[in-house]
Amino acid sequence: MGWPGREEPALAGSVAGRVCRMSGGDMAKPLLGHRSVEGDPTAPAAGRTIGILGSGDFARSLAIRLVCSGFKVVVGSRNPKRKAGLFPSAAEVTFQAEAVKKTDVIFVAVFREHYSTLCDLADVLVGKILVDVSNNTEINHHKESNAEYLASLFPACTVVKGFNVVSAWTLQSGARDGNKQVLICSNNQEAKRTIAEIAQVMGFTPVDMGCMSSACEIENIPLRLLPAWKIPIFLSLGLFLCFFTYNLVRQVIHPYIREQKNKFYKIPIEVVNTTLPCVAYVMLSLVYLPGVLAACLQLYYGTKYRRFPDWLDQWLQHRKQIGLLSFFCAALHAVYSLCLPMRRSHRYQLIETAVKQAVEKKMNIWVEEEVWRMEIYISVGIIALGLLSLLAITSLPSIANSLNWREFSFIQSTLGFIALLISTLHTLTYGWSRAFDENQYKFYLPPTYTLTLLVPCTVILAKVIFSLPCIHHRLMRIRRGWEKGRYVKFVLPSATGEYSSGETSSHV
């Protein structure tokens, strides 16, 4: 139970995958297999003529991608002579009416407010497949989706919503450099299959999102700003503010009140640098805490088929984002730490220390214990940051897809837990014996690092308990389908050699 980029089979109580909740009720599913047919001339859709109505950026990028994928492209424009130079030479640019007559599949690459300009083409569009690629400027800006509005204007046509989640940059760069999924919906299954074949030949993965009622949801997807990141970002900001305030009181406010010393210069660098590792460490432990809670629930109920509470289910789905934010804070902490000796205040303090040493005639201020502590502290910190970097890289879809499940699970779960252990060691070597020094308790507040140890140590202790053979064996049986209280039929041979049946509880 680690830092996932894809769902873990052990957590069956969680929502399997990211199933879109669509008003049409259809589950999102690939229309076709995942075989790559990009540029394959034997593919069913390759070589056919595709029409495009529009001459904007998206239309030009779409034409380039279609031509590169082996399609014949005809572009309909109100001013073909002026626009011809913007499209690849292999694409035919002509008037809209002429373009519509040459193909049965037409991409409508114009804005919703310009749909009415196509009404003059209603007679020649009869029986054609219209692919609406438009998006709105606001979520739920209209009562009906753009695709439904287009279908109402051309009832004799078959409208398919698709390609609106793919950017013009992705079309030009190729599917391998951007989002590979193309969400498709329509009331006509055959039309969806046709567009799915075209999308697959272009190198994308078509996903069936159901009937036309799903178009509104599809059009809202590109307008959402980091929907999966909101909770993790607010969580990290909340932790940062809490730890920043705590460190501000200890490092700045306390010396100002008790000793009348001005330490406010520490706020931009030192206080922030003390706060960042606290956030990174706690966030890393929060990646693995929901897995511990899920295992506890599975052991308590004796089954993996009982649904987790909604809050835990959401937590499990946000572990990837929480882990990446933990890595981000740790990376910032490393950069801030490297900048500490560059500060003017550090140089003044270094000179002041040297002057005091000369005045007191101290020839040697070497402290063996402090030297070893700092060497171990820095070395362990570098290792922890390296492991976090590995976790962050393998959580990227392009990297995760190249790993099998065992490799992915080993990196995210096993190495992730090792990263948590090493981070704990890094924290302990930083604190060393400060927790037992009464001078470290400013305003009776304990050192910050002692607070950060609470959640990680809880996770580590729980992991140790789960590794005990008696508990580990029971948990593995549950995750393989065993349920407490379920009765299982069995067959035993009798003394006469015949077989008799019976039943027993599965927890025996």
Side-chain angles (χ1 to χ4, degrees):
M1 290 175 240
W3 176 351
R6 45 193 176 187
E7 195 66 22
E8 298 182 37
L11 301 180
S14 178
V15 176
R18 301 285 182 89
V19 178
C20 298
R21 296 172 175 84
M22 311 304 296
S23 57
D26 294 333
M27 292 179 61
K29 57 184 179 180
L31 278 169
L32 301 170
H34 294 284
R35 61 186 181 87
S36 176
V37 293
E38 182 179 359
D40 182 2
T42 64
R48 71 186 304 167
T49 302
I50 305 297
I52 301 175
L53 294 180
S55 54
D57 293 337
F58 189 88
R60 292 196 295 271
S61 300
L62 181 61
I64 293 172
R65 190 63 186 165
L66 287 169
V67 169
C68 292
S69 300
F71 293 97
K72 298 177 182 178
V73 179
V74 55
V75 181
S77 174
R78 288 175 293 181
N79 193 342
K81 292 185 178 179
R82 181 182 178 184
K83 303 293 184 180
L86 302 176
F87 289 86
S89 58
E92 179 185 357
V93 182
T94 182
F95 290 99
Q96 292 180 341
E98 294 297 324
V100 169
K101 294 177 182 178
K102 296 182 179 181
T103 178
D104 292 328
V105 178
I106 302 165
F107 284 82
V108 182
V110 299
F111 293 108
R112 176 191 176 110
E113 52 267 27
H114 298 153
Y115 285 172
S116 57
T117 62
L118 304 177
C119 291
D120 295 339
L121 305 174
D123 293 337
V124 291
L125 285 174
V126 174
K128 309 285 186 179
I129 298 177
L130 302 182
V131 184
D132 176 44
V133 300
S134 65
N135 285 315
N136 292 314
T137 56
E138 299 177 9
I139 295 178
N140 298 324
H141 186 58
H142 303 283
K143 293 183 179 179
E144 60 181 353
S145 66
N146 294 348
E148 291 172 317
Y149 176 60
L150 182 64
S152 67
L153 293 178
F154 302 96
C157 300
T158 302
V159 176
V160 178
K161 185 69 186 182
F163 286 86
N164 66 301
V165 298
V166 180
S167 66
W169 176 86
T170 300
L171 287 170
Q172 289 194 21
S173 303
R176 294 181 182 86
D177 296 327
N179 182 17
K180 291 195 65 175
Q181 287 190 338
V182 172
L183 309 184
I184 299 172
C185 74
S186 177
N187 292 331
N188 189 297
Q189 287 292 335
E190 189 60 33
K192 280 196 294 186
R193 181 168 294 278
T194 300
I195 304 306
E197 290 176 350
I198 295 173
Q200 194 176 38
V201 174
M202 294 171 67
F204 296 100
T205 303
V207 179
D208 185 358
M209 301 302 289
C211 57
M212 187 59 72
S213 58
S214 302
C216 186
E217 179 65 19
I218 296 176
E219 291 174 3
N220 288 337
I221 290 176
L223 301 178
R224 295 194 176 102
L225 180 62
L226 302 175
W229 288 84
K230 289 183 179 179
I231 294 178
I233 287 176
F234 282 123
L235 175 62
S236 60
L237 288 177
L239 287 173
F240 183 86
L241 289 176
C242 290
F243 282 117
F244 182 84
T245 303
Y246 192 87
N247 291 324
L248 181 67
V249 171
R250 284 178 43 83
Q251 299 181 28
V252 178
I253 305 300
H254 179 270
Y256 183 77
I257 294 177
R258 292 294 178 87
E259 304 173 11
Q260 286 73 48
K261 291 184 178 180
N262 187 349
K263 300 286 186 178
F264 288 92
Y265 68 88
K266 292 185 175 182
I267 294 178
I269 300 293
E270 194 165 335
V271 176
V272 172
N273 189 46
T274 308
T275 302
L276 286 172
C278 299
V279 178
Y281 185 39
V282 174
M283 291 283 284
L284 179 61
S285 64
L286 292 179
V287 173
Y288 297 94
L289 182 58
V292 170
L293 298 177
C296 291
L297 289 176
Q298 289 177 340
L299 289 171
Y300 178 78
Y301 292 111
T303 179
K304 71 172 184 177
Y305 299 109
R306 186 183 180 97
R307 182 180 174 86
F308 296 145
D310 289 339
W311 60 268
L312 181 56
D313 190 54
Q314 289 293 321
W315 194 349
L316 289 166
Q317 293 184 19
H318 285 99
R319 288 177 296 171
K320 174 182 176 179
Q321 289 78 15
I322 295 174
L324 289 173
L325 288 174
S326 171
F327 167 71
F328 175 71
C329 292
L332 285 181
H333 169 56
V335 174
Y336 269 83
S337 298
L338 291 174
C339 293
L340 288 178
M342 303 179 187
R343 297 176 304 154
R344 182 67 63 179
S345 58
H346 177 79
R347 297 179 185 179
Y348 288 154
Q349 290 174 350
L350 189 62
I351 296 174
E352 183 181 357
T353 302
V355 171
K356 288 183 178 179
Q357 181 182 352
V359 171
E360 296 175 1
K361 297 182 180 181
K362 291 183 178 180
M363 301 303 296
N364 187 4
I365 59 172
W366 183 279
V367 180
E368 189 75 16
E369 180 181 347
E370 282 297 306
V371 170
W372 275 101
R373 181 187 72 84
M374 186 58 65
E375 296 292 323
I376 296 174
Y377 163 70
I378 295 177
S379 177
V380 172
I382 293 173
I383 296 174
L385 182 60
L387 289 175
L388 283 177
S389 303
L390 180 62
L391 294 174
I393 292 173
T394 53
S395 69
L396 299 175
S398 58
I399 304 299
N401 292 337
S402 66
L403 303 174
N404 62 39
W405 174 252
R406 185 173 183 181
E407 293 168 342
F408 183 82
S409 179
F410 172 77
I411 294 174
Q412 296 294 337
S413 296
T414 305
L415 292 186
F417 181 66
I418 293 175
L420 183 62
L421 287 174
I422 294 178
S423 299
T424 302
L425 180 60
H426 177 65
T427 305
L428 291 174
T429 51
Y430 168 78
W432 206 250
S433 60
R434 297 181 189 180
F436 308 103
D437 184 0
E438 61 180 12
N439 295 325
Q440 296 295 324
Y441 288 78
K442 311 293 179 62
F443 289 135
Y444 301 102
L445 298 175
T448 312
Y449 82 93
T450 59
L451 301 180
T452 64
L453 287 168
L454 295 177
V455 178
C457 288
T458 301
V459 173
I460 294 173
L461 179 61
K463 288 281 190 178
V464 172
I465 294 175
F466 289 154
S467 65
L468 297 177
C470 56
I471 298 179
H472 178 74
H473 177 68
R474 182 181 179 89
L475 188 58
M476 289 299 101
R477 290 181 63 194
I478 291 174
R479 290 176 177 173
R480 291 189 180 102
W482 177 86
E483 293 184 87
K484 180 175 65 176
R486 186 184 66 180
Y487 287 87
V488 181
K489 291 185 178 181
F490 62 91
V491 179
L492 293 176
S494 62
T496 60
E498 298 179 352
Y499 288 87
S500 60
S501 63
E503 60 181 22
T504 183
S505 173
S506 65
H507 68 266
V508 175

